[in-house]
Every structure is written in structure tokens, then in C-alpha cells.
Amino acid sequence: MEYSNEVLEATPERATKFLTGMGAVAAIRTMMAAAGMTDDDILEGRTLLLDVLAAPRKSSAAPDTADARAQRAATTELDQWDEPNFARYGAALRRRFPDVHAYVFKDLSPSTGTAAVQGVATFLTRLDALESRAESDRAGTKQSDKKAVSFLATRGLDKTERKRLQGLVGVALGPTSPLPEQAELPETARRREALSKLRGWFDEWSTTARAVVKKRGYLIRLGLANRKAPQRKTPATPTEPAEPVDDTDATDLE
């Protein structure tokens, strides 16, 4: 019989409660013996339970890929790069090449996370445009644009650094590969087999117990029933005090 992973993983706890409950209450053991459960059956359940407990659990590590980790790292590095470098390169351009500063930093400011990736990408694209003269509306600033780019190179933003940053942008924007299909590990298959055997034993004898054990307290002890939640008593509606009867004779008032 096929069981879901949730059912199988819940079985060790249920089997443990079933075995200990039956061992602790002689009356339950007597009823189960009358239904055909021998000591060998109990030892079988115990052996199956211990086998499950010895089987290694499947690793709970979150699935990941190398390029997904690289993407997160690139985003983090760009996030840390934009604020201090936008500040120093912006200050330098504002003083020496104010028109270039107005173009490069228009609507551009440090950001966080994915917005930082977009900001650095915009910054680099605008520098490339200045260097290649891709912006037609800056026809009269060719010399100052090239001087500004060359000046930034003396401050550390040379072609090598821009290429490195552009590489980080490319990694941060992806794509990344999907998770590869993972074959079931031998230890995982072994644990599932052990759980299935234990579940088969538990199903047989818990079904028997439900048929022969009628006392609810015993079934609760075996883990086959739950305690009823205590019902809240509805507070009694207070009755209005009766009005006192005035039995004074009218003649007494005259």
C-alpha cells in the first residue's frame, strides 16, 4: 500500500504511543491478546520502530544552485558599491564637469537590493554612451565628455573596473539554471521502506484495537482517540428579584 510522506513521517510517534499505552495498561493488553496479538507481534512492532529510528532522515537543506548563489552575491556587492561610489564620483563630476554630472546622475541615486542593480547598470550605460558618443543630444560636448570619462579612470573607475561592474550586473540579472533532477538517495529509500513496514504493522493492530477496545480512555491512551475539549458552561441568566409584596392593610393607613 502506498502512503504519503506526511502519513509515514507521523507513524513513528503514533507507533510509540500505541506500544507504550498497551504495555502500561494490562486491561488493554488482555483485550488485544484475546484478539490474537502475541508477544511476537509486539516485538515485531518494536523492531520495526527501532529500525525506522535508526534510518537517516532526508537532508532538510534548502535546494540551491551555484549560479543562484552567485546572483545573490552579485546583487549584494552592487548594493554595497553604489552608495559610496555614487557619492565620490558625483562630487568629482559636479565640480569639474557639471554638465556631465547632470547627465550621468539625472534621476539616479543609491538604492538597495535589486534597485541598486538597476542604478549601477544605468550609471555604466551612461558612461559608455559618453565614451562612444551615442547620445545625439550632446553633440556639442564631445571633448568634455571624453575628458570626464578619462578623469574618472584616474579615480579608479577605469575600463577594467567598469567591465567588472558590468559583469556583476550581468550575473545579478541572470539567467540562472533550474535545479537539476535529483535521484532519490539510497538512505532516503531505505527510510521510506522502513516507515512503510512500520505503518503496515500499525494499521493492522490499531484497526484491531479500535474493534475490541471500547473504553474511550483506553483508546486515548493508545493514541487512537483525542480528549474532548471541555465545554464552556453558559452562565445562567440572572433572574430579576421579585418586587416585595405590600401586605399592609389599607385601613392601617387611615
Side-chain angles (χ1 to χ4, degrees), residues 1 3 12 37 42 76 94 126 215 217 220 232 242 250:
M1 184 174 178
Y3 300 99
M37 175 177 260
I42 295 176
T76 299
R94 187 184 300 110
R126 289 176 179 175
K215 188 173 180 179
I220 293 173
R232 294 182 178 179

Side-chain angles (χ1 to χ4, degrees), residues 99-100 130 133 135-146:
D99 58 324
V100 173
L130 292 178
R133 304 302 306 134
E135 289 293 321
S136 60
D137 60 345
R138 295 182 59 80
T141 59
K142 180 177 181 179
Q143 293 302 320
S144 63
D145 288 353
K146 286 187 174 293

Side-chain angles (χ1 to χ4, degrees), residues 208-231:
T208 302
R210 287 190 176 95
V212 300
V213 178
K214 301 302 181 183
K215 188 173 180 179
R216 183 174 179 81
Y218 289 167
L219 291 173
I220 293 173
R221 187 66 180 262
L222 293 171
L224 303 179
N226 297 319
R227 297 184 184 278
K228 292 182 178 180
Q231 295 182 346

Side-chain angles (χ1 to χ4, degrees), residues 2-247:
E2 288 294 324
Y3 300 99
S4 68
N5 289 333
E6 291 76 12
V7 168
L8 289 177
E9 291 295 343
T11 301
E13 182 178 353
R14 298 196 66 187
T16 300
K17 191 166 187 177
F18 185 80
L19 286 167
T20 56
M22 188 163 44
V25 181
I28 298 177
R29 178 69 186 95
T30 301
M31 286 183 277
M32 293 299 290
M37 175 177 260
T38 66
D39 287 351
D40 287 341
D41 294 316
I42 295 176
L43 290 174
E44 179 189 15
R46 186 179 72 181
T47 301
L48 291 172
L49 174 61
L50 293 176
D51 189 40
V52 166
L53 298 178
R57 281 181 172 271
K58 183 178 180 180
S59 174
S60 59
D64 207 352
T65 59
D67 48 2
R69 291 192 294 272
Q71 185 183 49
R72 295 194 298 271
T75 300
T76 299
E77 186 169 351
L78 292 171
D79 190 351
Q80 296 171 347
W81 186 91
D82 68 343
E83 184 170 1
N85 289 287
F86 278 7
R88 70 189 189 97
Y89 294 136
L93 290 177
R94 187 184 300 110
R95 179 187 175 199
R96 293 172 172 81
F97 305 93
D99 58 324
V100 173
H101 175 275
Y103 167 71
V104 172
F105 285 97
K106 181 180 180 181
D107 300 324
L108 185 63
S109 60
S111 304
T112 58
T114 56
V117 177
Q118 179 181 337
V120 175
T122 301
F123 177 70
L124 295 173
T125 300
R126 289 176 179 175
L127 291 182
D128 289 345
L130 292 178
E131 195 171 44
S132 65
R133 304 302 306 134
E135 289 293 321
S136 60
D137 60 345
R138 295 182 59 80
T141 59
K142 180 177 181 179
Q143 293 302 320
S144 63
D145 288 353
K146 286 187 174 293
K147 285 183 179 180
V149 174
S150 298
F151 169 74
L152 291 178
T154 66
R155 294 292 180 92
L157 195 61
D158 55 15
K159 288 187 177 182
T160 300
E161 175 64 1
R162 285 161 55 191
K163 185 177 180 180
R164 184 187 74 84
L165 292 170
Q166 193 63 60
L168 289 174
V169 170
V171 172
L173 294 178
T176 59
S177 58
L179 285 170
E181 292 186 6
Q182 296 182 344
E184 191 175 55
L185 299 176
E187 58 267 24
T188 304
R190 178 195 179 296
R191 177 176 173 80
R192 184 175 180 84
E193 181 182 4
L195 282 167
S196 296
K197 289 180 179 179
L198 177 63
R199 186 70 197 194
W201 178 91
F202 176 77
D203 280 352
E204 176 185 355
W205 291 111
S206 63
T207 301
T208 302
R210 287 190 176 95
V212 300
V213 178
K214 301 302 181 183
K215 188 173 180 179
R216 183 174 179 81
Y218 289 167
L219 291 173
I220 293 173
R221 187 66 180 262
L222 293 171
L224 303 179
N226 297 319
R227 297 184 184 278
K228 292 182 178 180
Q231 295 182 346
R232 294 182 178 179
K233 293 183 178 180
T234 304
T237 304
T239 57
E240 295 184 1
E243 294 184 1
V245 178
D246 186 359
D247 56 356

